[in-house]
Amino acid sequence: KAVQQSGKIAPYEITPIEAIPSIAAKLRDTFWTNKTKDVQYRLVQLRKLYWGIVDYTPQLREALMLDLKKSPHDAHVSEIDWTLGDCLNAIKNLEKWVKDDKDIDVALSFSMLKPRIKKEPFGAVLIIGTYNFPVQLNMCPFIGAIAAGCTAVLKPSESSPATAMVLTEIIEKSLDPSAYTTVNGRVPETTALLEEKWEKIFYTGGVNVAKIISKKAAETLTPVCLELGGKNPAFVTKNADIPSLHADSCGARRSTLVSLINMMNVTYEDFFPKGAKVSPDYARVVNVQQFDRLKAMLDHTNGKIVLGGEMDRDDLYIGPTVVLVDSADDRMIQEESFGPIWAILPYDDLDTAINTVRKVDYTPLLDDLWFEIRKRERLVVTPLAAACPLIVSNPNRHTVLNSITSGGATINDGFMHAAVNTLPFGGVGQSGTGSYRGKHSFECFTHRRTVVETPGWMDGLLRVRYMPFRAADLKQ
Ligand code: NAD
């Protein structure tokens, strides 16, 4: 890890494991004081959080640089401003979101029961985050928990320790410590957190840990929201208008595959005229373990590197890399790379491509899905969308949408479905369950509690409920 420059970020400090039961107990107790249910209290907390993030922006930028070598631009666009946007949206709309639903379709006789659906916070909740977007992936669900009126503990990923410490300080300095806190640590601390009773667990991360969490949650029937990962196939056809998208210099039309690889190379040159390694915009792999995992994927593929492939373990650098593979059994297709490595698998018809994606889907997942199909001809399936530069228009998009399931889908672009901060973001099947962002973050931590009130005078009308039953009460 790089050494801190400003001295403004505390060294990573693991929460004492023996403190975890009392932290959980405090959050449960605070919840039952009912203070977090007060809407004005929630708004104050959200405003304080907003200004805490604003005040700590320099530290967040530095931490993101330390943890991931994220550029300040990236830090703002995909992390800080992203999170502030979610916070502002909650502040702006909370009073509307918390209102009871009264517009309920009931029979006239039941309308006298004043039926309504109250928006109740779940209670004390646990949020466990991951490292690749360590600000937004932790804070956006946390904002949802505050908005819903829950008390909450955040467990940021130990793989992004500098950001974890800045988030810890923001929460400590800005929010009511009896209701909101962080726990830092690794597997033992997370395991200790899972030993506690939570009213909801929100987890972002990989499938294997999600299974551990789900099993633990099942013991107490605790609901979970799981935001997982997996493959993100893109479909590109022969007639995709690849050159017009980015690279005029792609020149005359060739087959899609050649144009695609050409265009990726031209785009690489555009983005990084002196190479990605010296670009101030290009981030690094988070740690040596992830570096070694990615390197092993490349070492074991039977594919051919058609772009990049440069690596430097000391610098945790892997350049943008594209591998042309010839079989869906290749490790590059079967495993999520979760790094700057894309695989291209050529196909001859759309049905085969769809079937391949369906087969791959049973272990990995379809979190976002981009595609372009103009004709059912030659296709390229590229798993893992990340920062892939293209994808074009799509008259046959319904075929793919109807043939493959995915958490979300972007047509003609990559990942834009996640950028719209009022749309629900979440997986399906192996890519997760539940969703959040905008109002959906509030709803993720909210129980819809049905309430009716029986006026005393109605009891006579409800006589049919009471024994002894009378034949006359039954409608023939
Ligand atoms: P990670 O190592 O940061 O782990 C995630 C969290 O799980 C951490 O807080 C960690 O402390 C905790 N954890 C790890 N092992 C545990 C255990 N044995 N018991 C309990 N808790 C444990 O990150 P990761 O899991 O490698 O994350 C990468 C995955 O996350 C990828 O699959 C990626 O696709 C997915 N992801 C999904 C989203 C999304 O929004 N759906 C976003 C980013 C990443």
Side-chain angles (χ1 to χ4, degrees):
K1 288 283 167 202
V3 177
Q4 312 177 26
Q5 282 138 29
S6 67
K8 285 185 184 159
I9 301 173
Y12 192 62
E13 195 183 323
I14 293 181
T15 307
I17 208 159
E18 58 281 6
I20 289 173
S22 54
I23 290 172
K26 181 177 71 177
L27 296 187
R28 286 192 294 264
D29 289 349
T30 301
F31 180 74
W32 285 115
T33 66
N34 284 342
K35 71 172 163 180
T36 59
K37 291 186 185 173
D38 180 78
V39 177
Q40 290 312 314
Y41 169 95
R42 300 185 213 178
L43 285 170
V44 168
Q45 298 301 313
L46 288 168
R47 289 187 192 112
K48 286 185 171 180
L49 185 62
Y50 177 90
W51 289 112
I53 296 169
V54 170
D55 288 348
Y56 277 82
T57 291
Q59 287 91 327
L60 285 172
R61 281 167 51 159
E62 185 182 342
L64 289 163
M65 179 59 79
L66 289 169
D67 286 335
L68 294 148
K69 202 169 178 283
K70 271 198 191 186
S71 67
H73 179 96
D74 205 356
H76 274 279
V77 173
S78 67
E79 297 269 26
I80 301 166
D81 298 353
W82 181 292
T83 306
L84 289 173
D86 273 33
C87 200
L88 273 184
N89 187 49
I91 293 166
K92 193 172 131 206
N93 292 299
L94 188 61
E95 284 175 321
K96 199 166 63 194
W97 295 344
V98 296
K99 284 198 174 125
D100 292 356
D101 270 356
K102 291 185 181 159
D103 186 16
I104 298 163
D105 189 16
V106 289
L108 184 64
S109 49
F110 288 143
S111 65
M112 289 169 222
L113 300 176
K114 297 189 197 154
R116 57 199 182 270
I117 298 167
K118 288 187 77 65
K119 317 285 182 62
E120 297 266 328
F122 270 117
V125 300
L126 168 62
I127 296 165
I128 304 174
T130 187
Y131 60 82
N132 63 325
F133 290 100
V135 179
Q136 54 132 312
L137 294 178
N138 285 305
M139 295 311 265
C140 293
F142 198 71
I143 287 163
I146 299 174
C150 294
T151 57
V153 61
L154 175 68
K155 160 62 186 69
S157 175
E158 63 276 29
S159 300
S160 43
T163 311
M165 290 318 290
V166 181
L167 296 182
T168 300
E169 204 169 321
I170 292 174
I171 289 169
E172 262 173 24
K173 295 261 167 76
S174 316
L175 300 182
D176 175 354
S178 71
Y180 310 107
T181 192
T182 46
V183 164
N184 283 303
R186 305 193 170 91
V187 174
E189 290 72 24
T190 320
T191 307
L193 279 167
L194 294 174
E195 289 298 328
E196 297 299 322
K197 172 67 184 131
W198 304 100
E199 299 311 320
K200 183 144 192 179
I201 301 174
F202 187 106
Y203 170 74
T204 308
V207 171
N208 292 338
V209 175
K211 288 180 184 167
I212 296 173
I213 289 170
S214 295
K215 278 187 192 152
K216 203 67 208 164
E219 285 176 13
T220 50
L221 298 179
T222 300
V224 290
C225 179
L226 302 173
E227 296 284 337
L228 313 179
K231 310 300 282 184
N232 305 296
F235 294 76
V236 185
T237 60
K238 183 178 181 181
N239 296 321
D241 192 12
I242 291 166
S244 72
L245 248 187
H246 209 273
D248 292 335
S249 53
C250 248
R253 257 186 213 294
R254 284 167 277 188
S255 79
T256 302
L257 188 58
V258 174
S259 301
L260 180 67
I261 294 168
N262 245 349
M263 203 279 281
M264 286 177 157
N265 277 280
V266 170
T267 304
Y268 177 88
E269 296 293 326
D270 275 359
F271 281 16
F272 311 113
K274 294 181 181 158
K277 197 172 181 191
V278 294
S279 165
D281 301 331
Y282 192 73
R284 293 296 183 267
V285 177
V286 71
N287 55 33
V288 171
Q289 290 76 20
Q290 295 297 332
F291 181 96
D292 290 345
R293 182 185 59 78
L294 288 161
K295 182 171 181 308
M297 277 186 92
L298 273 185
D299 288 346
H300 291 99
T301 177
N302 290 321
K304 179 180 154 210
I305 293 179
V306 292
L307 170 65
E310 197 195 345
M311 296 186 183
D312 178 348
R313 195 171 187 266
D314 292 337
D315 188 22
L316 295 174
Y317 171 78
I318 299 181
T321 298
V322 181
V323 187
L324 182 60
V325 298
D326 60 7
S327 161
D329 296 330
D330 196 285
R331 195 166 167 177
M332 291 300 307
I333 298 294
Q334 290 296 322
E335 286 176 28
E336 177 187 21
S337 93
F338 204 51
I341 304 177
W342 303 312
I344 299 178
L345 177 64
Y347 270 95
D348 294 315
D349 63 82
L350 178 59
D351 290 340
T352 316
I354 285 172
N355 283 332
T356 301
V357 171
R358 280 182 179 160
K359 272 190 233 144
V360 172
D361 187 30
Y362 66 82
T363 25
L365 347 118
L366 296 163
D367 192 66
D368 58 301
L369 175 69
W370 330 339
F371 55 85
E372 194 285 333
I373 308 149
R374 290 232 176 124
K375 282 188 182 167
R376 292 180 166 230
E377 293 179 23
R378 190 175 178 86
L379 283 170
V380 181
V381 180
T382 66
L384 188 60
C388 198
L390 51 133
I391 299 308
V392 205
S393 66
N394 175 20
N396 290 333
R397 58 192 174 276
H398 297 301
T399 308
V400 171
L401 280 180
N402 286 338
S403 308
I404 297 167
T405 183
S406 70
T410 294
I411 298 159
N412 258 351
D413 205 326
F415 211 62
M416 285 306 290
H417 67 275
V420 185
N421 67 353
T422 47
L423 288 177
F425 178 74
V428 65
Q430 294 277 307
S431 61
T433 181
S435 60
Y436 71 121
R437 304 299 306 287
K439 187 183 182 188
H440 313 281
S441 299
F442 166 83
E443 287 175 345
C444 182
F445 293 99
T446 296
H447 166 57
R448 289 169 61 80
R449 187 184 203 182
T450 297
V451 177
V452 295
E453 279 175 54
T454 313
W457 59 262
M458 259 189 108
D459 201 48
L461 297 177
L462 297 170
R463 161 72 188 80
V464 70
R465 297 181 294 175
Y466 302 131
M467 289 176 268
F469 296 134
R470 300 179 310 200
D473 289 334
L474 285 184
K475 280 191 190 147
Q476 296 304 317

